[in-house]
Amino acid sequence: MAFPPRYPLLFNPKARSQKGQRTFRFLMENASRFYLCATNSSEEARDLAARFAAEGEPVVIAAGGDGTLNAVVSGLAGSQTALGVLPAGTMNVFARELGIPFDNLSKAFEVIDRGHVREIDLFEANRAPFMQMAGVGFDAMVIEETTWETKKMLGPLAYLLSAVKVLGEKPPRMEVICRDGRRVEGVAVLAGNGSLYGGQFRLFRKADNQDSMLDVLVFKEAGYKLVLDSLKGLALGGVDLAASTEYFQAEDFTVVAEREVPIQVDGELLGRAKEVAFSESPRRLRVLAPEDPLPGSRFVEVMKAMMLWPKRIADPATKAGA
């Protein structure tokens, strides 16, 4: 009698949110399909993943959010072991990017069982690998200000409250320096290996996680101007369409700030530095993903319609055709 495969699965037992509890119940209900490994830290998750890869396991599953995935990816990168994703975090940006069901663990597990492998780029910020995105300045400050307790109580709203607090602070100036000589000044920098940021926002509209390029957004305005211009840009079809941003692609670049600034990779705070070097990792990542990804969220399309609605009403041509 043939039995279905049993996968090593790494998870954080301290995840006590409602979603964390649902995930734990799912793991218990399907325990015969897993070798369950409760991890105490991101370092332990990385080391366990690397050990499983060295032992030749074909698949290692990470059950958690983007931070948990980042730790496991650090251990699997460059190996033949494929990453399986069970999304159990607040945002689950990487799962959304790949079209993995981000709000249904059973369907996400079906993706793993089907066994379709994609190979994607990895990049590094000061040698710390990331698979989806990284940020220097504003968004990393928001993550720095957001506590585990507020995330547990408020979910994604916790980041919004932290953002309101951070918007009132004066950011340091920074400069992005590319290897080809391009230089761009601003107050915050985002780098995307995939197109999505923060869950539903398609911030990096030209991004392709198989093209060996990072998509870079440099914000030149701080405070509420940064937010308003970003929303306006999204409504028009891309944040980079706002006058106060600059968007380009690069294989590698360095961010130099006038004082130490926070850095985040895949939504996890990396630390603070005055200089951050971005480059492609020589390693790649094998990940289990759908052959036919789920359709993207309509959040931006709905917002676009709302932003343009008054213009359509006022347009004489629209009235004439009514």
Side-chain angles (χ1 to χ4, degrees), residues 16-70:
R16 290 170 285 178
S17 65
Q18 187 176 12
K19 182 172 282 190
Q21 293 169 6
R22 288 199 303 269
T23 302
F24 187 73
R25 285 197 298 271
F26 176 83
L27 298 184
M28 293 301 99
E29 290 166 2
N30 295 274
S32 62
R33 298 296 312 278
F34 308 124
Y35 299 111
L36 294 173
C37 300
T39 61
N40 293 310
S41 65
S42 59
E43 291 78 16
E44 186 177 31
R46 178 198 63 208
D47 293 344
L48 278 170
R51 192 184 80 186
F52 283 124
E55 292 172 353
E57 287 287 350
V59 174
V60 170
I61 298 176
D66 293 301
T68 299
L69 294 183
N70 180 275

Side-chain angles (χ1 to χ4, degrees), residues 170-175 256-261 273-274:
K170 183 179 179 181
R173 301 296 301 179
M174 56 186 72
E175 185 176 30
V256 180
E258 62 185 6
R259 65 172 187 266
E260 285 193 344
V261 289
K274 289 183 67 175

Side-chain angles (χ1 to χ4, degrees), residues 9 84 93 107 114 143 166 182 198 212 223 226 242 250 308:
L9 184 146
V93 185
K107 289 188 179 298
R114 283 196 289 270
I143 291 170
V166 170
R182 285 176 293 175
S212 296
L226 182 153
L308 297 179

Side-chain angles (χ1 to χ4, degrees), residues 1 30 118 179 192 204 237 284:
M1 180 178 179
N30 295 274
R118 282 188 64 187
R179 185 170 54 179
F204 308 100
R284 289 174 68 81

Side-chain angles (χ1 to χ4, degrees), residues 234-250:
L234 281 171
L236 293 173
V239 170
D240 55 297
L241 298 177
S244 62
T245 63
E246 187 156 342
Y247 183 47
F248 59 91
Q249 294 178 308

Side-chain angles (χ1 to χ4, degrees), residues 160-289:
L160 180 60
L161 295 179
S162 296
V164 171
K165 179 180 178 181
V166 170
L167 283 172
E169 301 181 14
K170 183 179 179 181
R173 301 296 301 179
M174 56 186 72
E175 185 176 30
V176 179
I177 305 169
C178 299
R179 185 170 54 179
D180 61 10
R182 285 176 293 175
R183 290 174 176 259
V184 183
E185 291 189 353
V187 295
V189 178
L190 293 177
N193 185 33
S195 63
L196 295 180
Y197 174 88
Q200 304 182 76
F201 297 99
R202 196 165 295 280
L203 224 60
F204 308 100
R205 57 194 177 95
K206 300 177 184 177
D208 179 348
N209 56 22
Q210 295 177 307
D211 67 356
S212 296
M213 302 284 282
L214 273 176
D215 285 46
V216 187
L217 266 171
V218 182
F219 295 84
K220 300 180 179 182
E221 299 284 349
Y224 293 98
K225 176 73 170 169
L226 182 153
V227 175
L228 291 173
D229 279 359
S230 297
L231 291 174
K232 181 180 178 181
L234 281 171
L236 293 173
V239 170
D240 55 297
L241 298 177
S244 62
T245 63
E246 187 156 342
Y247 183 47
F248 59 91
Q249 294 178 308
E251 294 178 352
D252 53 66
F253 62 93
T254 301
V255 179
V256 180
E258 62 185 6
R259 65 172 187 266
E260 285 193 344
V261 289
I263 310 151
Q264 62 88 3
V265 292
D266 290 329
E268 293 293 304
L269 192 66
L270 182 62
R272 282 177 169 258
K274 289 183 67 175
E275 189 168 310
V276 189
F278 288 87
S279 61
E280 185 179 11
S281 171
R283 305 173 294 168
R284 289 174 68 81
L285 175 68
R286 291 165 54 82
V287 57
L288 295 166

